[in-house]
Amino acid sequence: MQFSDDVIYTVDVAEGEGILAAALAQDVPVLHQCQSGSCGSCVCHLAAGKVEMRKDMSASLLKSEQDAGMRLACISQAFSDSVLDFDYDSKMGEKGPINVTVFIDSIDWLSDDVIRLNVELADGQWFDFKPGQFAQIQVPGTNQVRRYSMSSSPEDLPKIEFLIRILPEGLMSDYIRDTAKVDDALEIEGAFGSFFLRDISAREPHIMIAGGTGLAPIMSMLDAIRKKNGIKPSILLSFGCLNSSSLFHVDELELRTDWMPTLKTRISLNQGEAENNIIIGNPLQALQPSDVTAEDTVAYLCGPPGMISAAHSMLEGFGLKPENIHAEQFVASE
Amino acid sequence: MNEQKATRRRQAKGTSEFRQNDKKTQSQYQPYKDAEWGFINHWYPALFSEELAEDQVEGIQICGVQIVLRRVDGRIHALKDQCIHRGVRLSAKPMCFNKETISCWYHGFTYNLESGNLDTIVGNPDDKVIGTVGLTTYPVEEVGGMIFVFVRDDDFPDEDVPPLAHDLPVRFPEKSEEFPHPLWPAAPSILDDNIVARGIHRTGEANWRIACENGFDNAHILVHKDNTIVQAYNWTLPLGIRPVSDDCITSFEEEGAPKGMMQWLFSDRWEPVLENKQLGVKIEGANSRFYRTSVVLPGVLLVENWPEEHIAQYEWYVPITDDTYEYWEVLLKVCPTDKEKEAFNYRYDRVFEPLCIRGFNDCDLYAREAMQDFYGDGSGWESEVLVDTDISPIMWRKLASKHNRGIAKQPAGVQGNVKASSIRLKNLAAGKAPGYLVDKIDD
């Protein structure tokens, strides 16, 4: 197992044993969370050998990602001596996730189906995360947890913000919509996920693509870059929602472009009429090959699986290197 | 989970509460409000050239960054003035054994002036730490009798350091076409050949933003109504100047050039108010005194045609801490001959310094102080009630939010961070107010 800081671990994996389980047992700092093939935290790239994911478990990796050599370590088994690449620093996973209590500061409707939840860490508690990572929030009164990306940046701690998509029915949706109130305590665990801003000081142009509340981790990245002093990279964000009643954060994005002249945004709606610079279509259709001006352009994508898959091939077609495309599939938590 | 029951954080400081309000109000100039300790990664004036003689060492503080300056063979070096060992200020008791280094007078940590690296330790020359650590260095420029330093974050790369000209007022006649000035000749610049810069710097007790906004606030000239120089010359200085056109201010934001704004004063875009009938107040002065103000990041004021033709006033409001700033007032004139230089110096010493730099601008100093309590705890930014003349500060706040190169974080381990430290109190008791220059140790 090779990490981006050239730290290499050799792990013995028994026949039929899960690679993640073996790695964790041998103290290899692999990021992980669900251990069941869904969250995508333990994603890695098969550089050599034969590693296959179990056929009897569902994986959140796209076919195209699997074909490109990507594997989820938690549901993978080794069939020969193999080399797996993890595209983050080996120190990332050394500090495991922790449990903390937060208190609700505010609950605001941003659109027909998105709520902004602002919370604050309890007195004396702390929580570290990288921009783009997520936390698990326990639904009060149950033992169920739901995953949400932090939309605020680490600089905003002890304040944390989440963007919550409210579904007509769902455990967390019902709680947030009907029960939650200011000063309520929530138990959260984190941080998780290997979708995070790789280099806060990067100068290479950035392309960011977000669909719906997939904007949350992207907002965290934007604010982290903005708050890092000095010269900023050029950033093109393409953000799309279904229609005008589900659209949110237009004002927040406008503020970001005011504050950070190197940021350009394009906003698209799948349905509706073109007005106020809004593009009709999906956030991928809002991008053209000419938007990629450098071959070392870095991309961060967060949205529904279909969008991610299409974005991958589109950006590669535009000349981006596959290793510079970082993606997280977003599935609304109920 | 946690053994103890989790509790809410106490609302420790007023500011955190207001910060939250800021989020709600979605303020367009939130980054400016966050810049209590100033904008970092910019050029600031440090000292007048004459304040740093050959081999002299001085310590200053800008944006919460302590900086030590030493002149060697005419060249000035600037390093972080905080020994990595135990945090002592090197400038408090200068110790230099050669032309290449400066040593900490306490335990002898010796730093290379060029690189900032720890070259040796006086009484411990074989220690393993030597060569592996060092102090941040700051680029220096000396021009027109002034020393400028580029105050930067520790990780701000050398190759990103912009030219000094990017943090100085716009130049004339280069900009005369873009910003015509039919009523006065082209203003001089500190970068002009044969420039003579005369002035003072002194510490003001207010946040730097309050000071800076005072400089180009067109309603504030009321405080100067009764000033000696105004009365002596019988100037028609208006009671106020109102914006009467949507193009009363032009921002300039081109890449690779100063970022700021020009106010088209004494044009048809601003209306001078000379009388308030209701109050029976009228300006009777007979002599026009045309001037124009512009401001560029990180907070540099240019007053053209002030206080006389062919002279310009520059001002800086250099953040020292979040509640003190170093107020720089500099008059500039191009003097190609010794005779002209002598004449300007004479007039500066006899007229301008006593009547303008001190008499006139003293009012600004106390006006800023008078605002400090309102803004000092962060609440003033929320509760201020602004009127149409305040378009100037609002435009400035937005521009500054957009084009600053970084917001200075609250520093760690520097003077002025702990407001009521025993040292500060002792100095106060001895009659020494918190200031800009290091307190040197008497030995």
Side-chain angles (χ1 to χ4, degrees), chain B residues 205-272:
Chain B
E205 281 73 35
N207 184 268
W208 73 276
R209 293 164 297 181
I210 301 303
C212 182
E213 292 180 3
N214 156 274
F216 54 83
D217 161 12
N218 295 310
H220 96 283
I221 51 173
L222 184 64
V223 308
H224 298 299
K225 186 167 83 64
D226 304 318
N227 285 172
T228 304
I229 191 155
V230 175
Q231 296 304 321
Y233 282 108
N234 210 10
W235 284 347
T236 37
L237 206 63
L239 294 167
I241 309 177
R242 288 192 50 243
V244 288
S245 167
D246 61 358
D247 55 0
C248 60
I249 296 176
T250 300
S251 66
F252 36 91
E253 304 178 57
E254 315 93 88
E255 267 309 300
K259 311 278 197 299
M261 62 186 214
M262 171 63 72
Q263 311 200 83
W264 297 81
L265 301 183
F266 297 96
S267 75
D268 54 6
R269 307 180 195 187
W270 290 83
E271 177 185 69

Side-chain angles (χ1 to χ4, degrees), chain A residues 99-101 103-105 116 118 120-126 155-156 158-159 161 182-183 187 203 226-231 251-252 255 257-261, chain B residues 1-2 4 6-11 16 20 23-24 26-31 34 40-41 153 155-157 159-160 398 401-409:
Chain A
N99 293 290
V100 290
T101 303
F103 291 93
I104 298 178
D105 278 339
R116 177 175 54 206
N118 286 97
E120 184 185 46
L121 287 167
D123 195 25
Q125 299 193 13
W126 203 254
E155 290 229 356
D156 297 314
K159 305 279 186 186
E161 183 191 278
V182 171
D183 288 336
E187 302 302 318
R203 292 293 172 82
R226 177 172 67 80
K227 289 176 181 174
K228 175 80 176 65
N229 288 346
I231 293 174
D251 49 349
E252 290 285 344
L255 278 177
T257 55
D258 278 348
W259 294 338
M260 187 159 53
Chain B
M1 261 321 295
N2 306 287
Q4 283 177 319
T7 53
R8 288 222 67 157
R9 283 166 190 266
R10 284 197 307 153
Q11 299 288 355
S16 63
Q20 226 185 317
K23 265 197 174 163
K24 267 185 205 156
Q26 306 294 330
S27 168
Q28 287 179 291
Y29 46 86
Q30 183 61 47
D34 291 339
I40 200 162
N41 306 321
D153 286 314
D155 63 353
F156 191 91
E159 57 271 25
D160 289 352
K398 287 196 211 173
S401 295
K402 189 170 189 171
H403 293 296
N404 70 80
R405 297 194 199 98
I407 292 168
K409 299 194 169 53

Side-chain angles (χ1 to χ4, degrees), chain B residues 121-276:
Chain B
I121 300 172
V122 179
N124 187 4
D126 297 324
D127 197 274
K128 282 200 280 295
V129 78
I130 291 165
T132 65
V133 288
L135 294 170
T136 303
T137 61
Y138 304 95
V140 178
E141 294 274 359
E142 188 168 21
V143 56
M146 292 180 67
I147 301 165
F148 294 89
V149 287
F150 186 77
V151 182
R152 58 173 165 178
D153 286 314
D154 294 333
D155 63 353
F156 191 91
D158 287 340
E159 57 271 25
D160 289 352
V161 176
L164 168 63
H166 292 188
D167 287 346
L168 288 176
V170 291
R171 296 181 69 178
F172 295 94
E174 194 178 300
K175 289 278 177 184
S176 293
E177 207 169 308
E178 197 177 333
F179 303 119
H181 42 83
L183 301 175
W184 59 84
S189 156
I190 186 110
L191 299 173
D192 287 348
D193 290 337
N194 300 312
I195 195 72
V196 178
R198 292 296 311 276
I200 62 169
H201 61 93
R202 46 180 163 165
T203 302
E205 281 73 35
N207 184 268
W208 73 276
R209 293 164 297 181
I210 301 303
C212 182
E213 292 180 3
N214 156 274
F216 54 83
D217 161 12
N218 295 310
H220 96 283
I221 51 173
L222 184 64
V223 308
H224 298 299
K225 186 167 83 64
D226 304 318
N227 285 172
T228 304
I229 191 155
V230 175
Q231 296 304 321
Y233 282 108
N234 210 10
W235 284 347
T236 37
L237 206 63
L239 294 167
I241 309 177
R242 288 192 50 243
V244 288
S245 167
D246 61 358
D247 55 0
C248 60
I249 296 176
T250 300
S251 66
F252 36 91
E253 304 178 57
E254 315 93 88
E255 267 309 300
K259 311 278 197 299
M261 62 186 214
M262 171 63 72
Q263 311 200 83
W264 297 81
L265 301 183
F266 297 96
S267 75
D268 54 6
R269 307 180 195 187
W270 290 83
E271 177 185 69
V273 176
L274 297 172
E275 186 177 8
N276 184 316

Side-chain angles (χ1 to χ4, degrees), chain A residues 54-112:
Chain A
R54 284 166 58 170
K55 299 274 181 278
D56 58 339
M57 290 188 76
S58 66
S60 62
L61 282 186
L62 306 166
K63 172 89 168 46
S64 59
E65 291 175 326
Q66 294 185 41
D67 291 347
M70 289 165 80
R71 300 287 184 271
L72 295 177
C74 64
I75 54 167
S76 291
Q77 296 168 333
F79 295 91
S80 76
D81 286 349
S82 305
V83 177
L84 293 172
D85 284 336
F86 294 82
D87 77 337
Y88 48 84
D89 205 284
S90 63
K91 285 178 219 53
M92 265 299 297
E94 282 173 3
K95 235 195 270 175
I98 55 163
N99 293 290
V100 290
T101 303
V102 298
F103 291 93
I104 298 178
D105 278 339
S106 59
I107 306 162
D108 301 300
W109 283 98
L110 301 182
S111 74
D112 277 3

